[in-house]
Amino acid sequence: FVKNLENVQGDEHDVILFSIGYGPDKDGKVSMNFGPLNNEGGERRLNVAVSRARHEMLVYSTLKSSQVDLRRSKARGVEGLKHFLEYAETQSLATVPGNQSQHSDSTLARIIADRLRSHGYVVTTGVGRSQFKVDIAVSLPEHPDVYRLGILLDGEAYRNTQTTRDREIVQPSVLNGLKWNVMRVWSIDWFNNPQRVIDRIIEQINTEPEPEPEPQTQNTAFEISNSDIEERPSQASSYNACTMSESQAIAMTDRGLMTHIINTEQPIQFTLLCKRIASLRGMTRVTPKMKNDLLPRVKHMFFTQPDRNDLTVWMTEQVAMEYTGYRCDDVRDITEIPLCEVKNVILESVEEQVALPCDNLTLIATKKLGFTRRGNNLDTALNEAVMQLKEEGRIEEVDGKLRIQN
């Protein structure tokens, strides 16, 4: 087969010929614009591209790894492309940078932990099963399996968090939602006056109310981070848009073309279905007449569900009833994403985090869907999904936090 990246997921062969479509311009300069690889989650697209061969991959590229300047891009997809090209050129894996910083982070955490242990506290470092971890977790001797305080340092993980909102609001708020007491320790404060920092930590421990033993045992360690949202979505898949030549699309009947598109992209909004038909057939826009002609035929031939000011279209009702996933992509606008996908990502986020304030929940869902920022349309869709899930009795709000309804 010959396929582009958007349509190759799920296919594999013994040998793959892989062409890199980027390179220097006529002056030898590289723009560092690698399309979807520059976007959040771009590393997932790269992973799809480089994992299609069972035994051997031959890489064709005018772009060399040395031409990818990571000082000009912090995107993980771009970093992955550089290391992939380096491996293709040298057959050796690149060493992971940042070990020295990570060692410094763990050293500071260990020093603070030892000082707190000398005061009789039970202390654990590096708590969590994701890349974002609570640097230091403090327990009282009488409840060693219950975390009293979580301490976050300003180390490598802090610097790698992409936005100030994520660092200063989202991560601490998620911990607070899980009944953690959280404080920050700045390394400059420690180096200036270590004893003052220890005194402040002890004061924080002693002034916070006694936690109940149940909510935060060491087996329920914190598990939310931006990297988790990108790397371990249990129901997520990439959005695969239907592609074919214009001549093929024109030669097909309306029914045949609609069936092919819906079978490839379901669930799909009726408006997006019309756009896809027009695009594949070389039409510049969707006319009202086209929509009026197609709407009754779509309702007759396929299963449809009302969805905001549109319809969600499926091949059959059974497929619709069994669907529990969602697609993350940078192709569709939020108005083109069926509400069932938005509801599924909300449910997954709540299930992962046990209980979350609504604002934190919608921020996590935003990232899972592949959006880098929130707007009115996105907030409206997310809030409508939350409202419908409440009305259906699938989630509930308790003390300002959303959770799966028992």
Side-chain angles (χ1 to χ4, degrees), residues 8 14 28 50 65 104 110 116 144 151-152 164 262 286 373:
V8 75
D14 290 345
V50 303
S65 62
S104 299
R110 188 173 62 252
L116 292 173
I151 301 172
L152 303 179
T164 302
I262 296 168
V286 176
R373 64 187 64 183

PDB file of all heavy atoms in Angstrom, residues 8 14 28 50 65 104 110 116 144 151-152 164 262 286 373:
ATOM      1  N   VAL A   8      -2.583   5.407   8.027  1.00  0.00           N
ATOM      2  CA  VAL A   8      -1.783   4.187   8.116  1.00  0.00           C
ATOM      3  C   VAL A   8      -1.934   3.472   9.454  1.00  0.00           C
ATOM      4  O   VAL A   8      -1.527   2.325   9.597  1.00  0.00           O
ATOM      5  CB  VAL A   8      -0.290   4.511   7.860  1.00  0.00           C
ATOM      6  CG1 VAL A   8       0.328   5.198   9.072  1.00  0.00           C
ATOM      7  CG2 VAL A   8       0.491   3.253   7.479  1.00  0.00           C
ATOM      8  N   ASP A  14       5.929  -6.342   6.646  1.00  0.00           N
ATOM      9  CA  ASP A  14       7.273  -6.776   7.040  1.00  0.00           C
ATOM     10  C   ASP A  14       8.295  -5.666   6.789  1.00  0.00           C
ATOM     11  O   ASP A  14       9.174  -5.419   7.599  1.00  0.00           O
ATOM     12  CB  ASP A  14       7.685  -8.028   6.263  1.00  0.00           C
ATOM     13  CG  ASP A  14       6.898  -9.248   6.700  1.00  0.00           C
ATOM     14  OD1 ASP A  14       6.261  -9.182   7.774  1.00  0.00           O
ATOM     15  OD2 ASP A  14       6.904 -10.259   5.986  1.00  0.00           O
ATOM     16  N   GLY A  28      19.282  26.085   2.289  1.00  0.00           N
ATOM     17  CA  GLY A  28      19.789  25.157   3.285  1.00  0.00           C
ATOM     18  C   GLY A  28      19.240  25.362   4.673  1.00  0.00           C
ATOM     19  O   GLY A  28      19.724  24.757   5.634  1.00  0.00           O
ATOM     20  N   VAL A  50       6.459   5.422  12.770  1.00  0.00           N
ATOM     21  CA  VAL A  50       7.705   4.648  12.847  1.00  0.00           C
ATOM     22  C   VAL A  50       7.489   3.226  13.350  1.00  0.00           C
ATOM     23  O   VAL A  50       8.458   2.496  13.526  1.00  0.00           O
ATOM     24  CB  VAL A  50       8.742   5.368  13.730  1.00  0.00           C
ATOM     25  CG1 VAL A  50       9.014   6.761  13.201  1.00  0.00           C
ATOM     26  CG2 VAL A  50       8.290   5.420  15.177  1.00  0.00           C
ATOM     27  N   SER A  65      19.377  14.516  11.062  1.00  0.00           N
ATOM     28  CA  SER A  65      19.095  14.766  12.481  1.00  0.00           C
ATOM     29  C   SER A  65      19.810  16.021  12.979  1.00  0.00           C
ATOM     30  O   SER A  65      19.279  16.750  13.823  1.00  0.00           O
ATOM     31  CB  SER A  65      19.508  13.551  13.319  1.00  0.00           C
ATOM     32  OG  SER A  65      20.909  13.317  13.220  1.00  0.00           O
ATOM     33  N   SER A 104      19.837  16.068  40.443  1.00  0.00           N
ATOM     34  CA  SER A 104      19.816  17.168  41.401  1.00  0.00           C
ATOM     35  C   SER A 104      18.469  17.244  42.103  1.00  0.00           C
ATOM     36  O   SER A 104      18.392  17.488  43.305  1.00  0.00           O
ATOM     37  CB  SER A 104      20.119  18.486  40.678  1.00  0.00           C
ATOM     38  OG  SER A 104      21.402  18.453  40.078  1.00  0.00           O
ATOM     39  N   ARG A 110      15.760  14.087  48.602  1.00  0.00           N
ATOM     40  CA  ARG A 110      16.289  13.157  49.601  1.00  0.00           C
ATOM     41  C   ARG A 110      16.818  13.898  50.824  1.00  0.00           C
ATOM     42  O   ARG A 110      16.627  13.457  51.969  1.00  0.00           O
ATOM     43  CB  ARG A 110      17.404  12.310  48.977  1.00  0.00           C
ATOM     44  CG  ARG A 110      17.885  11.173  49.877  1.00  0.00           C
ATOM     45  CD  ARG A 110      18.849  10.250  49.171  1.00  0.00           C
ATOM     46  NE  ARG A 110      20.067  10.931  48.755  1.00  0.00           N
ATOM     47  CZ  ARG A 110      20.370  11.221  47.497  1.00  0.00           C
ATOM     48  NH1 ARG A 110      19.531  10.905  46.533  1.00  0.00           N
ATOM     49  NH2 ARG A 110      21.500  11.837  47.192  1.00  0.00           N
ATOM     50  N   LEU A 116      13.324  15.744  57.572  1.00  0.00           N
ATOM     51  CA  LEU A 116      11.996  15.538  58.158  1.00  0.00           C
ATOM     52  C   LEU A 116      11.940  14.226  58.940  1.00  0.00           C
ATOM     53  O   LEU A 116      11.277  14.148  59.980  1.00  0.00           O
ATOM     54  CB  LEU A 116      10.930  15.551  57.063  1.00  0.00           C
ATOM     55  CG  LEU A 116      10.695  16.909  56.376  1.00  0.00           C
ATOM     56  CD1 LEU A 116       9.755  16.762  55.196  1.00  0.00           C
ATOM     57  CD2 LEU A 116      10.146  17.926  57.382  1.00  0.00           C
ATOM     58  N   PRO A 144       1.119   5.844  59.231  1.00  0.00           N
ATOM     59  CA  PRO A 144       2.180   5.840  58.221  1.00  0.00           C
ATOM     60  C   PRO A 144       1.676   5.567  56.811  1.00  0.00           C
ATOM     61  O   PRO A 144       2.383   5.848  55.843  1.00  0.00           O
ATOM     62  CB  PRO A 144       3.110   4.715  58.704  1.00  0.00           C
ATOM     63  CG  PRO A 144       2.251   3.837  59.539  1.00  0.00           C
ATOM     64  CD  PRO A 144       1.262   4.743  60.204  1.00  0.00           C
ATOM     65  N   ILE A 151       4.707  17.708  49.094  1.00  0.00           N
ATOM     66  CA  ILE A 151       5.621  18.822  48.829  1.00  0.00           C
ATOM     67  C   ILE A 151       6.074  18.749  47.376  1.00  0.00           C
ATOM     68  O   ILE A 151       6.570  17.715  46.919  1.00  0.00           O
ATOM     69  CB  ILE A 151       6.846  18.773  49.766  1.00  0.00           C
ATOM     70  CG1 ILE A 151       6.394  18.833  51.232  1.00  0.00           C
ATOM     71  CG2 ILE A 151       7.808  19.910  49.454  1.00  0.00           C
ATOM     72  CD1 ILE A 151       7.526  18.604  52.218  1.00  0.00           C
ATOM     73  N   LEU A 152       5.898  19.847  46.652  1.00  0.00           N
ATOM     74  CA  LEU A 152       6.293  19.937  45.244  1.00  0.00           C
ATOM     75  C   LEU A 152       7.514  20.839  45.128  1.00  0.00           C
ATOM     76  O   LEU A 152       7.512  21.958  45.643  1.00  0.00           O
ATOM     77  CB  LEU A 152       5.151  20.498  44.402  1.00  0.00           C
ATOM     78  CG  LEU A 152       3.826  19.729  44.469  1.00  0.00           C
ATOM     79  CD1 LEU A 152       2.784  20.416  43.598  1.00  0.00           C
ATOM     80  CD2 LEU A 152       4.007  18.286  44.041  1.00  0.00           C
ATOM     81  N   THR A 164       1.952  27.951  32.833  1.00  0.00           N
ATOM     82  CA  THR A 164       1.885  28.384  34.224  1.00  0.00           C
ATOM     83  C   THR A 164       0.605  27.879  34.882  1.00  0.00           C
ATOM     84  O   THR A 164       0.605  27.499  36.060  1.00  0.00           O
ATOM     85  CB  THR A 164       1.940  29.920  34.295  1.00  0.00           C
ATOM     86  OG1 THR A 164       3.149  30.366  33.679  1.00  0.00           O
ATOM     87  CG2 THR A 164       1.898  30.402  35.730  1.00  0.00           C
ATOM     88  N   ILE A 262     -18.865   7.376   6.121  1.00  0.00           N
ATOM     89  CA  ILE A 262     -19.411   7.094   7.449  1.00  0.00           C
ATOM     90  C   ILE A 262     -18.741   5.875   8.065  1.00  0.00           C
ATOM     91  O   ILE A 262     -18.397   5.866   9.257  1.00  0.00           O
ATOM     92  CB  ILE A 262     -20.938   6.899   7.374  1.00  0.00           C
ATOM     93  CG1 ILE A 262     -21.611   8.198   6.933  1.00  0.00           C
ATOM     94  CG2 ILE A 262     -21.503   6.448   8.722  1.00  0.00           C
ATOM     95  CD1 ILE A 262     -23.066   8.038   6.548  1.00  0.00           C
ATOM     96  N   VAL A 286     -20.161  23.685   0.580  1.00  0.00           N
ATOM     97  CA  VAL A 286     -21.403  22.931   0.733  1.00  0.00           C
ATOM     98  C   VAL A 286     -22.564  23.897   0.527  1.00  0.00           C
ATOM     99  O   VAL A 286     -22.661  24.908   1.235  1.00  0.00           O
ATOM    100  CB  VAL A 286     -21.491  22.279   2.121  1.00  0.00           C
ATOM    101  CG1 VAL A 286     -22.828  21.573   2.295  1.00  0.00           C
ATOM    102  CG2 VAL A 286     -20.341  21.302   2.315  1.00  0.00           C
ATOM    103  N   ARG A 373      -6.002  25.025  23.747  1.00  0.00           N
ATOM    104  CA  ARG A 373      -6.596  26.124  24.500  1.00  0.00           C
ATOM    105  C   ARG A 373      -8.109  26.001  24.479  1.00  0.00           C
ATOM    106  O   ARG A 373      -8.689  25.339  23.627  1.00  0.00           O
ATOM    107  CB  ARG A 373      -6.169  27.474  23.933  1.00  0.00           C
ATOM    108  CG  ARG A 373      -6.637  27.749  22.509  1.00  0.00           C
ATOM    109  CD  ARG A 373      -6.037  29.020  21.971  1.00  0.00           C
ATOM    110  NE  ARG A 373      -4.602  28.914  21.861  1.00  0.00           N
ATOM    111  CZ  ARG A 373      -3.819  29.910  21.476  1.00  0.00           C
ATOM    112  NH1 ARG A 373      -4.337  31.086  21.210  1.00  0.00           N
ATOM    113  NH2 ARG A 373      -2.507  29.744  21.376  1.00  0.00           N
TER     114      ARG A 373
END
